[in-house]
Amino acid sequence: MFLDTRVLRYLTAEDWRVLTAVEMGSKNHELVPTPLIERIARLKGGASGVHKSIATLAKSGLIGRMKEAKYDGYRLTYGGLDYLALHTHSSKDVVYSVGSRVGVGKESDIMIVADKTGKQKILKIHRLGRISFRTVKSNRDYLRNRQGGSWMYLSRLAAMKEYAFMQALQEEGFPVPEPISQSRHTIVMSLVESLPLRQVSSVPDPASLYAELIDLILRLAKHGLIHGDFNEFNILIKEERTSKYTIEDGEEKETETVTLVPVIIDFPQMVSMDHVNAEMYFDRDVECIKRFFKKRFHFVPTQPGPFFNDAKKTVGKDGAKRLDGTVEASGFTKKMLKELEKAIQEQQARIDAGEAVEEEELDEDEDEEDDGGSDSEDEENEEDQEDQQEEEEYAVFEIPANVGRPLSDAEKGLEKLSLGGKGGKRRV
């Protein structure tokens, strides 16, 4: 889904109240009755003011109607939920401007944003249900339970879970982006200057990097956690430069050393070491790293493992704090976890079975929506497809062999490669 923020600045306080009223009414209604919207919004202008704001919001695609509905009402769209989340981040002075989309996944969009000082950050928008399935409309019983019946609700749960894990992991010293703010289905986090591991074609010492990644898997296990999706797409590689000054022949000389540091991202699928399928998730994470290093770097470890049973024995040892319990204490309950896991597993199972159809909404929103607020939908879908094709044309980078050893003066500042044949430059 394309995030269009052009209308954001033109919404009035009354429009925001009405949009919030639709969101509140959505907790108990798939289609919020117009009289209920009026009662919740409580505008000074009365019903006429509410209807004026409804017209503005519907025209902008932030709320929508449903064809053949038994009563007059509106539902909140993903665009409306995006705006409410951005409005909250803006009111906290976390986000001031929104830039381009820098990443697209089957379950999220990644945007560049900035605060008032111009400091760039990352906005992650969870979109469970972006990829839907041909058979889901006849097999979605688990979506009919209370709020769990909404992909928006499940997207909120995914954001809540990821933010809670990021906070807990950062406090324990794990290499993760800094979590800054969470609202509804969105997370604002620090921008890490790095490259995804999938874009790295070679490294000076594959064995050392492999050992670091396996150590991260074991460290997570020691704290009671399994990432669940530990692969080249969810591992970033950044450079850390350190300078050392020495005196030679009476002159001060600077020696700079570059070290590769892995950073972990994407935590909605993280599970406890006590999970019923913990061993499967643990083994899958290990196998993903082994398979990638063999294929990309032609590196095969000489020792087998690590094994789940051995990692299980280390949980909570040496004073390691169990983070699975910490996240539950933060408000993300076991019931929420089960709802989210069931949705993600159902989605992944159908993707694996080849039943996925991209860019369809599960709730029949596209079929049931009337013309109000959806006139530009086809154009937006075309833009999304073009954007995605552009983003898939990424280059594969080679980490210079001087990484991990001091750089000579002649080598400094020369490690730049063009991206995707488009003439752009990026430091690696």
Side-chain angles (χ1 to χ4, degrees):
M1 176 181 173
F2 179 70
L3 176 60
D4 185 355
T5 59
R6 288 176 295 183
V7 183
L8 191 65
R9 70 184 68 182
Y10 301 112
L11 295 184
T12 65
E14 290 76 15
D15 296 336
W16 286 114
R17 286 184 67 90
V18 172
L19 187 58
T20 303
V22 177
E23 180 189 33
M24 294 174 65
S26 298
K27 294 179 180 179
N28 299 308
H29 298 81
E30 183 179 2
L31 189 67
V32 186
T34 302
L36 180 59
I37 298 174
E38 296 171 3
R39 290 199 300 271
I40 296 175
R42 299 176 63 185
L43 296 187
K44 291 182 179 179
S48 61
V50 170
H51 285 281
K52 181 180 178 182
S53 291
I54 284 176
T56 299
L57 298 173
K59 185 178 180 181
S60 304
L62 307 182
I63 60 175
R65 304 183 72 174
M66 295 176 68
K67 289 183 178 180
E68 300 179 3
K70 296 180 180 179
Y71 56 88
D72 184 46
Y74 294 83
R75 60 170 187 83
L76 185 68
T77 66
Y78 253 128
L81 193 64
D82 291 346
Y83 268 43
L84 286 167
L86 285 172
H87 188 60
T88 299
H89 290 310
S90 176
S91 65
K92 295 179 180 178
D93 292 328
V94 173
V95 174
Y96 179 73
S97 60
V98 178
S100 60
R101 185 171 61 183
V102 295
V104 181
K106 63 180 181 292
E107 296 169 353
S108 63
D109 285 334
I110 311 297
M111 311 287 298
I112 287 283
V113 296
D115 58 20
K116 287 185 177 180
T117 67
K119 182 179 180 180
Q120 291 188 335
K121 305 172 183 179
I122 288 293
L123 172 70
K124 181 173 183 178
I125 308 174
H126 286 269
R127 299 201 190 282
L128 269 70
R130 176 206 297 282
I131 295 186
S132 58
F133 323 103
R134 298 184 191 280
T135 61
V136 76
K137 292 178 182 178
S138 60
N139 183 22
R140 56 175 182 175
D141 292 340
Y142 72 93
L143 286 175
R144 291 187 180 136
N145 299 326
R146 57 184 293 273
Q147 295 170 305
S150 167
W151 283 109
M152 293 183 192
Y153 170 70
L154 294 171
S155 295
R156 290 170 186 251
L157 293 188
M160 288 175 60
K161 180 182 179 183
E162 180 163 30
Y163 188 74
F165 273 121
M166 288 178 69
Q167 286 183 312
L169 291 169
Q170 187 191 42
E171 290 174 2
E172 293 300 317
F174 281 88
V176 299
E178 177 191 358
I180 298 172
S181 178
Q182 184 259 323
S183 174
R184 297 169 174 87
H185 63 318
T186 66
I187 298 174
V188 178
M189 64 188 80
S190 61
L191 173 64
V192 180
E193 294 290 344
S194 59
L195 284 172
L197 181 58
R198 66 185 171 90
Q199 290 183 245
V200 177
S201 65
S202 66
V203 293
D205 187 1
S208 177
L209 182 58
Y210 172 83
E212 281 192 68
L213 295 176
I214 293 298
D215 182 62
L216 281 174
I217 293 176
L218 295 175
R219 278 183 63 195
L220 287 170
K222 199 170 186 178
H223 287 273
L225 296 175
I226 302 170
H227 186 280
D229 201 13
F230 199 79
N231 56 46
E232 65 272 21
F233 294 91
N234 296 325
I235 298 170
L236 305 178
I237 302 298
K238 72 173 183 177
E239 293 180 344
E240 283 192 355
R241 297 172 178 262
T242 56
S243 297
K244 183 179 180 181
Y245 295 90
T246 57
I247 304 295
E248 293 184 11
D249 300 327
E251 294 184 0
E252 186 179 62
K253 185 177 181 181
E254 178 187 359
T255 304
E256 188 176 56
T257 302
V258 180
T259 306
L260 298 182
V261 179
V263 179
I264 320 170
I265 59 172
D266 200 23
F267 307 101
Q269 66 292 317
M270 186 167 270
V271 298
S272 168
M273 284 289 285
D274 296 330
H275 190 278
V276 63
N277 295 320
E279 184 171 4
M280 182 272 290
Y281 287 121
F282 181 89
D283 291 344
R284 187 175 69 180
D285 281 356
V286 172
E287 183 58 32
C288 279
I289 296 303
K290 288 186 175 182
R291 184 170 57 248
F292 177 78
F293 270 71
K294 180 179 179 180
K295 181 179 179 181
R296 179 64 57 86
F297 305 133
H298 308 292
F299 171 79
V300 179
T302 57
Q303 296 182 347
F307 301 104
F308 174 77
N309 290 334
D310 295 332
K312 181 75 172 176
K313 296 174 184 177
T314 68
V315 175
K317 296 295 179 67
D318 301 325
K321 183 180 179 181
R322 291 206 58 159
L323 299 182
D324 45 353
T326 301
V327 170
E328 185 177 340
S330 71
F332 194 86
T333 65
K334 288 183 179 179
K335 186 174 184 180
M336 291 177 176
L337 182 62
K338 288 180 180 178
E339 287 180 325
L340 181 59
E341 282 185 2
K342 190 171 184 180
I344 292 177
Q345 288 171 3
E346 178 82 6
Q347 179 158 301
Q348 188 60 49
R350 295 192 179 279
I351 292 173
D352 295 341
E355 298 177 0
V357 181
E358 293 189 14
E359 300 301 337
E360 271 188 8
E361 294 293 339
L362 279 184
D363 295 326
E364 304 176 40
D365 292 339
E366 306 298 332
D367 297 332
E368 296 173 342
E369 228 175 337
D370 69 3
D371 294 337
S374 62
D375 293 339
S376 61
E377 216 165 81
D378 291 337
E379 294 178 8
E380 292 177 356
N381 286 339
E382 291 176 5
E383 290 175 7
D384 279 0
Q385 292 171 3
E386 292 172 2
D387 290 346
Q388 193 162 357
Q389 288 173 0
E390 259 188 50
E391 288 155 2
E392 288 173 352
E393 294 175 0
Y394 58 81
V396 178
F397 293 84
E398 179 176 348
I399 300 295
N402 54 37
V403 172
R405 66 172 175 81
L407 294 172
S408 67
D409 291 338
E411 291 172 327
K412 292 179 183 178
L414 298 181
E415 316 81 52
K416 291 184 178 179
L417 297 177
S418 63
L419 280 170
K422 297 186 182 296
K425 297 288 183 181
R426 183 168 181 174
R427 179 174 293 278
V428 298

